[in-house]
Amino acid sequence: MSVRICTTNENKVREFERMLGFDLRPVALDLEEIQTLDTVAACRNKGVLAFAALGEPVVVDDTGFELAALDGFPGALVRWAIDAGGTRILHRMLPEGVRDTASVVTAVAYVDGAGVQIFVGRLDGRVIAEPRGTNGFGFNAVFVPSGEDRTLAEMSDAEKDRISPRGQALRDLAAFLREQAR
Ligand SMILES: O=P(O)(O)OP(=O)(O)OP(=O)(O)OC[C@H]1O[C@@H](n2cnc3c(O)ncnc32)[C@H](O)[C@@H]1O
């Protein structure tokens, strides 16, 4: 089976390759992202744009980081928060003394001529001030999943894949694609 994935983020491609046993044909179109905190809405829009640009079935991924004390901000806007202030900004955004509860959400969309299918994964945890660990990318080093002492960046690839929102979403995508191919 062959899947076209549209992303500018090579780390995502590596995770897709690790977790999907399909032939991936990555394409790095930098698609316009709508201004929303809602990761599912951002993902859906990215998928529609990618399908319109490529004219063939495509998979896209959008990942958000939700701070509970800020009612889910920055959510799908996290890329710009990190671009502006590095990953430490995610803890720095919190006013003194509020809860450090955070969640990572990944939405994956498969878009073809029949429409858009969305698969979502979510991981709750907390955000920390000082990054720890060297594995992975993005906000991995400042996020500690619930029930864990380690950040995602202190876990092996296999450990992250087992619990990560992308892992959850990709397992559902894989099942959907296998069903489609029958
Ligand atoms: O939109 P595309 O082209 O796919 O690439 P992107 O890097 O802009 O993708 P997102 O908007 O989904 O990413 C938001 C931010 O979250 C980071 N990120 C995404 N997935 C992550 C993961 O699994 N672990 C840690 N950080 C992640 C990523 O590096 C960005 O800074």
Side-chain angles (χ1 to χ4, degrees), residues 1 3 11 14-15 21 26 40 59 62 76 83-84 88 95 103 109 113 118 122 124-125 136 138 146 152:
M1 197 183 300
V3 184
N11 294 296
R14 267 193 286 281
E15 292 203 355
V40 171
V59 172
D62 198 81
D83 282 356
R88 281 183 174 85
S103 303
I118 306 257
R122 182 180 188 91
D124 297 329
S146 298
L152 288 174

Side-chain angles (χ1 to χ4, degrees), residues 6-9 11-12 15 29-31 33 46 60-64 75-80 82-83 104 106 136-141 152 160 164-166:
C6 181
T7 178
T8 58
N9 189 325
N11 294 296
K12 288 187 186 177
E15 292 203 355
L29 299 182
D30 196 4
L31 301 165
E33 297 196 21
K46 235 191 241 184
V60 299
D61 169 307
D62 198 81
T63 296
L77 302 177
V78 64
R79 169 181 167 180
W80 288 276
I82 293 175
D83 282 356
V104 180
T106 292
F137 63 102
F139 46 72
N140 277 352
L152 288 174
K160 179 184 175 188
S164 79
R166 183 165 298 109

Side-chain angles (χ1 to χ4, degrees), residues 22-39:
F22 306 141
D23 169 30
L24 294 180
R25 290 176 297 129
V27 54
L29 299 182
D30 196 4
L31 301 165
E32 195 173 337
E33 297 196 21
I34 54 172
Q35 297 189 46
T36 178
L37 305 194
D38 182 342
T39 303

Side-chain angles (χ1 to χ4, degrees), residues 93-108:
M93 279 181 187
L94 295 175
E96 197 74 23
V98 302
R99 286 181 308 141
D100 54 10
T101 306
S103 303
V104 180
V105 179
T106 292
V108 170

Side-chain angles (χ1 to χ4, degrees), residues 65-146:
F65 194 94
E66 301 180 355
L67 294 168
L70 300 183
D71 294 334
F73 188 79
L77 302 177
V78 64
R79 169 181 167 180
W80 288 276
I82 293 175
D83 282 356
T87 54
R88 281 183 174 85
I89 202 173
L90 296 173
H91 191 275
R92 254 195 286 133
M93 279 181 187
L94 295 175
E96 197 74 23
V98 302
R99 286 181 308 141
D100 54 10
T101 306
S103 303
V104 180
V105 179
T106 292
V108 170
Y110 172 80
V111 191
D112 63 10
V116 185
Q117 299 286 333
I118 306 257
F119 307 92
V120 185
R122 182 180 188 91
L123 181 62
D124 297 329
R126 62 192 176 87
V127 63
I128 59 170
E130 284 304 316
R132 290 196 329 241
T134 53
N135 200 18
F137 63 102
F139 46 72
N140 277 352
V142 293
F143 183 76
V144 179
S146 298

